[in-house]
């Protein structure tokens, strides 16, 4: 979902935010993708000029394919489903019910370090996923997001598979877009695209990997806490790799 990043770049040990004010978390429920995207743009402009505080939106979208700036023609759906072309990095992905989406709208400190920001968001996701019991989840060199390693899971041989994606844009020093964690959503929609432009890897959900029921609501509070800690520097970088 996000552009490839340098996995050797160190995480800063202090806050990446320009502001020392509290980070506000807003739960939006299920909201239309395009409408929310335009709201993000307006809010980011207000944050850039100091008219609005840093905030993180926690939400779900109705079923929607979105294509980042690096999307190739062969990535697009094979079933004729419409795609929303957006201004984030990365390639094509899907959003829909059962997937927790978080959009941090945060003014970054100078000098801007986008790689540091992306790795902090990865670290926040890893914290939550590890705490749920998936301690082998980690990073894959040259790829963003959070992955489960290839191997035998529940008696089945599985490839490396992505459980959370990241796609961002920074405009006037303010972050937009963010992360999506597959909680208990259907994976059928991924059958019609090359998810994130990676043909040799799978996609999974937390519910499938944990083999138990888990909901988006279960993840909102721990994800909010982890994002706050990662951006403030309280949550330090690990070397988790699959």
């Amino acid at each position: 979902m996000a552009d490839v990043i340098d996995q050797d770049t160190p995480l800063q040990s202090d806050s990446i935010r320009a502001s020392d004010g509290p980070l506000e978390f807003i739960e939006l429920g299920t909201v239309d993708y395009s409408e929310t995207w335009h709201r993000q743009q307006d809010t980011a402009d207000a944050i850039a000029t100091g008219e609005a505080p840093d905030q993180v939106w926690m939400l779900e979208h109705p079923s929607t394919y979105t294509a980042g700036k690096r999307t190739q023609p062969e990535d697009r759906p094979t079933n004729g489903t419409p795609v929303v072309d957006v201004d984030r990095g990365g390639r094509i992905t899907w959003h829909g019910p059962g997937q927790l989406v978080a959009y941090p709208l945060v003014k970054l400190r100078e000098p801007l370090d986008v790689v540091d920001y992306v790795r902090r968001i990865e670290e926040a996701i890893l914290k939550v996923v590890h705490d749920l019991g998936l301690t082998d989840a980690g990073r894959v060199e040259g790829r963003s997001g959070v992955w489960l390693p290839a191997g035998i899971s529940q008696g089945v041989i599985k490839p490396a598979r992505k459980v959370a994606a990241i796609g961002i844009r920074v405009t006037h020093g303010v972050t937009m877009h963010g992360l999506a964690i597959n909680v208990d959503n259907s994976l059928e929609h991924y059958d019609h695209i090359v998810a994130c432009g990676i043909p040799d890897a799978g996609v999974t959900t937390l519910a499938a990997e944990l083999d138990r029921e888990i909901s988006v609501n279960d993840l909102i509070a721990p994800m909010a806490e982890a994002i706050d800690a990662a951006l403030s520097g309280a949550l330090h970088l690990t070397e988790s790799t699959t």
Side-chain angles (χ1 to χ4, degrees), residues 187-207:
L187 296 177
E188 185 273 334
H189 305 280
Y190 291 102
D191 293 339
H192 304 290
I193 61 172
V194 179
C196 301
I198 304 173
D200 62 340
V203 183
T204 190
T205 68
L206 294 176

Side-chain angles (χ1 to χ4, degrees), residues 1 3 33 37-38 40-41 44 66-70 84-90 167-171 176-177:
M1 188 172 173
D3 292 321
Y33 184 90
W37 175 26
H38 294 305
Q40 280 191 72
Q41 294 173 314
T66 72
K69 293 181 291 184
R70 295 175 53 245
V84 179
D85 289 278
V86 294
D87 56 355
R88 60 165 172 78
I168 69 161
R169 181 188 181 201
V170 178
T171 178
M176 291 178 55
H177 302 287

Side-chain angles (χ1 to χ4, degrees), residues 123-137 146 206 210 212 214 218-219 221-227 229 235 238 240:
E123 195 64 40
I125 301 168
L126 283 168
K127 173 71 166 70
V128 172
V129 172
H130 288 174
D131 286 351
L132 286 170
L134 297 177
T135 55
D136 56 348
V146 170
L206 294 176
L210 293 166
R212 64 177 174 84
I214 185 169
D218 294 331
L219 258 69
M223 196 70 248
E225 182 178 352
I227 290 172
L235 180 62
T238 66
S240 296

Side-chain angles (χ1 to χ4, degrees), residues 1-3 5 7 118 122 140 142-147 162 164 166:
M1 188 172 173
D3 292 321
I5 61 174
Q7 297 294 325
V118 171
E122 284 179 344
V140 170
R143 296 175 176 178
S144 68
V146 170
W147 298 76
K162 200 170 198 175
I166 300 172

Side-chain angles (χ1 to χ4, degrees), residues 84-102:
V84 179
D85 289 278
V86 294
D87 56 355
R88 60 165 172 78
R91 294 169 75 167
I92 198 162
T93 194
W94 172 85
H95 295 304
Q99 182 188 75
L100 174 61
V101 176

Side-chain angles (χ1 to χ4, degrees), residues 5-240:
I5 61 174
D6 179 0
Q7 297 294 325
D8 294 326
T9 301
L11 186 75
Q12 299 290 337
S13 60
D14 52 359
S15 177
I16 198 172
R17 296 173 54 211
S19 170
D20 58 3
L23 186 57
E24 296 188 7
F25 287 86
I26 303 169
E27 295 181 31
L28 297 180
T30 301
V31 288
D32 177 77
Y33 184 90
S34 294
E35 178 183 335
T36 307
W37 175 26
H38 294 305
R39 281 186 61 195
Q40 280 191 72
Q41 294 173 314
D42 292 341
T43 303
D45 289 343
I47 293 171
T49 58
E51 299 173 67
D54 289 351
Q55 53 200 269
V56 181
W57 299 353
M58 313 286 280
L59 55 101
E60 292 177 78
H61 287 305
S63 185
T64 310
Y65 289 113
T66 72
K69 293 181 291 184
R70 295 175 53 245
T71 299
Q72 303 300 307
E74 61 270 22
D75 298 339
R76 291 177 178 269
T78 57
N79 59 356
T81 302
V83 177
V84 179
D85 289 278
V86 294
D87 56 355
R88 60 165 172 78
R91 294 169 75 167
I92 198 162
T93 194
W94 172 85
H95 295 304
Q99 182 188 75
L100 174 61
V101 176
Y103 292 140
L105 301 166
V106 172
K107 188 168 185 177
L108 300 179
R109 68 180 180 191
E110 298 286 350
L112 296 180
D113 189 339
V114 177
V115 171
D116 179 19
Y117 172 72
V118 171
R119 296 203 75 192
R120 289 178 189 239
I121 295 300
E122 284 179 344
E123 195 64 40
I125 301 168
L126 283 168
K127 173 71 166 70
V128 172
V129 172
H130 288 174
D131 286 351
L132 286 170
L134 297 177
T135 55
D136 56 348
R139 298 176 173 89
V140 170
E141 185 176 355
R143 296 175 176 178
S144 68
V146 170
W147 298 76
L148 276 299
I152 298 176
S153 176
Q154 299 168 26
V156 178
I157 299 175
K158 297 183 179 180
R161 53 216 181 273
K162 200 170 198 175
V163 72
I166 300 172
I168 69 161
R169 181 188 181 201
V170 178
T171 178
H172 303 299
V174 179
T175 63
M176 291 178 55
H177 302 287
L179 64 97
I181 306 177
N182 290 338
V183 183
D184 63 347
N185 51 282
S186 168
L187 296 177
E188 185 273 334
H189 305 280
Y190 291 102
D191 293 339
H192 304 290
I193 61 172
V194 179
C196 301
I198 304 173
D200 62 340
V203 183
T204 190
T205 68
L206 294 176
E209 298 297 332
L210 293 166
D211 195 24
R212 64 177 174 84
E213 291 186 3
I214 185 169
S215 71
V216 166
N217 285 338
D218 294 331
L219 258 69
I220 290 176
M223 196 70 248
E225 182 178 352
I227 290 172
D228 198 5
L231 298 185
S232 72
L235 180 62
H236 298 292
L237 180 69
T238 66
E239 295 301 323
S240 296

